Amino acid sequence: MDAPLNRPIVANTRSRRSSRDISERLQGALVVGLLALGAWQGFSALATPAAQRRLAQVRSLDALLDGRAAAAVNFVEAHYLPADPILRAAGGVFRWRLFGSGGPQVAVGCDDWLYLTEEAQTVRGAEENLAARADIVAQVAAALARRGIELVVAVVPDKARIERATLCNAPRTAQSMARYGIFQAMLRERRIASLDLARRLEQARQEGPVYYRTDTHWNQRGAAIAAKAVAEAVTTTLDPGFAYRTEAAPVETDGPGDLLRLMSLDLVPETLSPLGIKLRPASDRQFVARTVQTEKPAEADDLLATGPGDQVVLIGSSYSTNANFQGSLQEALRAPVNNVAEAGGGFSGAASTYFGGSAFAESPPRLIVWEIPERALSKPLQAQDRALAELK
Amino acid sequence: MIFASFEFLALFLPLFFACYFLMPFRHRNWVILLFSWGFYAWWRVDFLALLIAVTGFTYTVARLMDRAGPKSDRAKLLMILGLVGNLGVLAYFKYANFGVATVNQLRGAMGLSLMSWTEVLLPIGLSFYVLQSVSYLVDIRRGTVPVSRSLLDYAAYKAIFSQLIAGPIVRYAEIANELKLREHSLRQFGIGGRTFAIGFAMKVAVADTLSPLVDAAFSLTQPTLADSWIAALSYTLQLYFDFAGYSLMAIGLARMIGFYFPQNFDNPYLSGSIQEFWQRWHMTLSRFLRDYLYIPLGGNRSGPVRTYVNLMLVMAIGGLWHGSSWNFILWGVWQGALLGTHRWWSRRRPPGAPTLAYPLANALTMLAVMIGWVIFRAKDLESAGHVYAGMLGLNGIGLSDDFLWQITPDRLWFIPVALAIVYVPLLRDRLSRPRPAHPHPGTPAVPEMSGLRLAAWTVSPFAAFTLAIVMLYSRDAVPFLYFQF
């Protein structure tokens, strides 16, 4: 073991220092390069039209002193870098490939099935919130009944409830599993007509998916089944003479995939050619459905006739604006549907807007379909939710 | 402005370095000062006025002490004035809210009316730059540092943006010469950049990934055994990677412009005792507490009882320095009790008696440290109680639903990744020598490299930095934990 001591220590040290020196100088050059790259990104972001518009609002001494100018620059740098799409996509690919993670908003199941984490969220006071919302629905139903308007409540079950076979390691909590059943029971106690969409969709699930794999919402098949269930629950007789037919586009295209967007993977190619490395879950494929009117009563075109949207109004969330739900509902009801749903409106967004607007006051419908996403039911109540209970 | 943000990386830093290196040397301290003040004012412009006031006040007092002769009685009075002024500012901004709240609790309990009070905001970095002032004035009195005769140099020392907000607590004596003359070279720039890149990756890739897990776990009201231990372990790792990462970034940035800042962390989680832990954790604070509090109180020179009292007092004050709440005071008391117990045990053990095997000693040390971090992190004593109850299994064993839904695979995976990074230096040292001094993460002590290894050594910090940039961009920035202190 004496051999190492025979080595020329001084020469070795010199060579070592030399290699380290070179490396450290290279690192210095690399840092200069990175700073130049950073400066190009940072100043380019400031020059974008969107950034200029934002910064124009804070070009004052007051904005500088109260921190608004700094906040605006921070925002610009966090959102408008030229490398923004690349950085976001790289972050998403890294998280998904290395850890099988969809980030904070998306839970990854098996076979490329994705779920919204929010569906599993637990909330303090969830049961009280459910009861309060059931009371609000009951009050709205009573107010509408006094005006002779029928209300059909359609609670859209969580995707994780229906498509649970592919959940695998994605979380599902006791609170979220119980939520749908508890709310339905609460509506029954309050004698509200609410159809059991979960049962219908679960039955349909045996023959194929009813939700998109990479999107939060029901797919076209699920939407059509739900629309049929809604139509069967309606007791009001609507004006006859309307008929609709749903057609499928001749070419298959990618489905919506909002969960891929939440994973920052929406702009990423499915595979890295030519290596064939998969970079993200595969997109859903579909023949886009479109519903067209095939018949209408002759008087529908009369100048003074009630408008075609006046019989049925659909209030709801993004489930009502996706997957041709409105078209399927029109076909199932054989009536035109005025869709006032708001994407992201949750429990009360669309309802508040519609009930507070002039259309409801001036030409009330005969039927209102209120689509509510299950996951919105247990969240803490907002002022907008409570305000609905005051509908007269 | 925080280091882990694009306004800092893509605007401030390139602009600063361009101005700095284009300026002749004699004006470079001006560049440091003006950019550092701009950096500070980015949060709140009015807080900059306080920094300038503290700087001007301390500089003036120090000059007057020097004129009176540092050892004179007049200098002593001036030093006391300087300390009262600096610590008074700290007391007002940091402890007035806590003091009034405590008095009101007592008054409420006695049925008296409550004092009215408007909440005072703590200026960021105040705790750090006040300690710098204290060390400067005391060192001048002791005659261990020459007074600064240039207001520009002194103001630049106080303001250097890389250490202004959260340390390391650099003493004037440590960089007095470099303020006059320092070396700039591509090599220094590279070493600094490399150190910054490593710190950045520690903070953004590891600490910030664990952050949501910690926040979720510490907000549970009935955490189970599994929840609580994951909470304690992930916070233990988050705090280290966050603060040590920040310190490395500060040290690296300083090195890029020719300053040698003191090391702040030396693999503290490899310690075999609580005493060793405090020699390796936030070393510039430990050093401050030792030199300006423990030793002036008599240290270990006034008998065993007084030594234990001093240890307890110093650590309790150290705890209080971190924040104005009972959590921090109790955390300090816990550290003091641990150091006292360790001292008592070491003295009691006969010379030559076998010591605990290192793995057991390290495990016990880390257990004590983790127990301390729980109260350090919890927002109040009640929340800390929830986690302690969970750690004892009083709320069940397995993961709770409230926690489960917030765990994502990447967050969970970073716990073993962080643990591996913590223990890698130990493995490396064990393979080469029995138990050497641990190398600083920024300057590895294994210099013999060639070929691929050298290439990997050159590129790997920047690969980690790039990865961290990607991770930073795909989520919101998380503030540095030590900014709140």
Side-chain angles (χ1 to χ4, degrees), chain A residues 240-327:
Chain A
F242 290 97
Y244 295 84
R245 187 183 69 241
T246 298
E247 301 166 343
V251 181
E252 198 178 28
T253 50
D254 282 352
D258 64 350
L259 296 172
L260 288 174
R261 187 168 40 76
L262 293 178
M263 290 169 77
S264 306
L265 293 174
D266 51 329
L267 301 177
V268 175
E270 216 164 286
T271 52
L272 181 64
S273 305
L275 300 172
I277 297 171
K278 200 172 169 186
L279 296 180
R280 65 167 172 84
S283 296
D284 288 277
R285 300 284 291 171
Q286 65 176 3
F287 295 95
V288 173
R290 192 172 69 98
T291 301
V292 291
Q293 196 174 50
T294 53
E295 289 173 34
K296 62 179 175 181
E299 63 270 24
D301 288 333
D302 289 356
L303 188 64
L304 299 176
T306 318
D310 293 342
Q311 289 189 58
V312 185
V313 164
L314 169 62
I315 53 178
S317 68
S318 51
Y319 287 89
S320 296
T321 59
N322 268 283
N324 193 40
F325 179 66
Q326 181 192 1

Side-chain angles (χ1 to χ4, degrees), chain B residues 29 58-70 136 140 145-157 172 176-177 179-180:
Chain B
N29 284 357
T58 309
Y59 176 79
T60 308
V61 170
R63 287 299 300 270
L64 291 173
M65 283 172 69
D66 184 57
R67 194 174 297 170
Y136 180 57
I140 285 176
V145 61
V147 74
S148 171
R149 295 185 191 286
S150 158
L151 180 57
L152 169 65
D153 285 1
Y154 181 73
Y157 150 71
Y172 179 73
N177 292 334
L179 284 164
K180 298 285 178 208

Side-chain angles (χ1 to χ4, degrees), chain B residues 8 26 35 38 50 63 72 109 135 161 207 209 221 282 302 311 319-320 377 386 389 400 412 441 448 482 485:
Chain B
F8 179 76
R26 64 181 184 281
F35 269 84
L50 185 66
R63 287 299 300 270
S72 66
S135 73
F161 64 87
T209 303
T221 49
H282 202 174
S302 310
L311 271 177
L320 192 61
R377 166 61 177 80
H386 293 153
S400 70
L412 207 57
E448 193 172 354
Y482 255 68
F485 308 130

Side-chain angles (χ1 to χ4, degrees), chain B residues 213-258:
Chain B
L213 204 60
V214 173
D215 293 346
F218 273 89
S219 66
L220 300 172
T221 49
Q222 288 198 311
T224 62
L225 186 88
D227 298 344
S228 304
W229 281 100
I230 289 179
L233 179 60
S234 37
Y235 182 63
T236 298
L237 294 166
Q238 185 204 1
L239 185 63
Y240 170 62
F241 279 88
D242 188 281
F243 194 23
Y246 173 84
S247 297
L248 279 183
M249 282 190 257
I251 291 166
L253 287 169
R255 187 74 179 269
M256 290 165 89
I257 51 173

Side-chain angles (χ1 to χ4, degrees), chain A residues 102-255:
Chain A
Q105 298 184 77
V106 180
V108 178
C110 37
D111 300 333
D112 284 354
W113 277 85
L114 306 174
Y115 301 86
L116 198 63
T117 309
E118 195 186 343
E119 290 184 351
Q121 182 177 359
T122 55
V123 177
R124 276 180 208 157
E127 264 204 58
E128 289 80 7
N129 297 339
L130 288 172
R133 285 202 167 84
D135 286 340
I136 291 169
V137 171
Q139 281 156 325
V140 169
L144 293 176
R146 284 195 293 275
R147 295 175 179 227
I149 302 168
E150 182 185 0
L151 174 70
V152 173
V153 178
V155 175
V156 183
D158 285 346
K159 176 179 172 180
R161 176 178 305 288
I162 306 300
E163 303 288 357
R164 58 181 174 273
T166 41
L167 268 171
C168 297
N169 292 324
R172 194 87 180 112
T173 55
Q175 190 185 95
S176 59
M177 283 194 276
R179 181 169 51 208
Y180 182 86
I182 292 173
F183 192 72
Q184 289 289 3
M186 286 173 170
L187 291 183
R188 278 195 299 274
E189 274 171 29
R190 289 160 179 79
R191 299 177 189 285
I192 307 298
S194 169
L195 51 143
D196 187 358
L197 280 184
R199 188 177 56 82
R200 296 292 291 266
L201 289 169
E202 273 183 15
Q203 280 169 359
R205 178 65 188 87
Q206 290 163 12
E207 286 151 36
V210 286
Y211 284 75
Y212 290 115
R213 200 166 24 75
T214 61
D215 193 278
T216 325
H217 304 98
W218 46 32
N219 60 18
Q220 296 181 137
R221 181 167 169 260
I225 289 162
K228 211 170 161 194
V230 170
E232 286 168 13
V234 171
T235 55
T236 303
T237 307
L238 301 170
D239 287 345
F242 290 97
Y244 295 84
R245 187 183 69 241
T246 298
E247 301 166 343
V251 181
E252 198 178 28
T253 50
D254 282 352

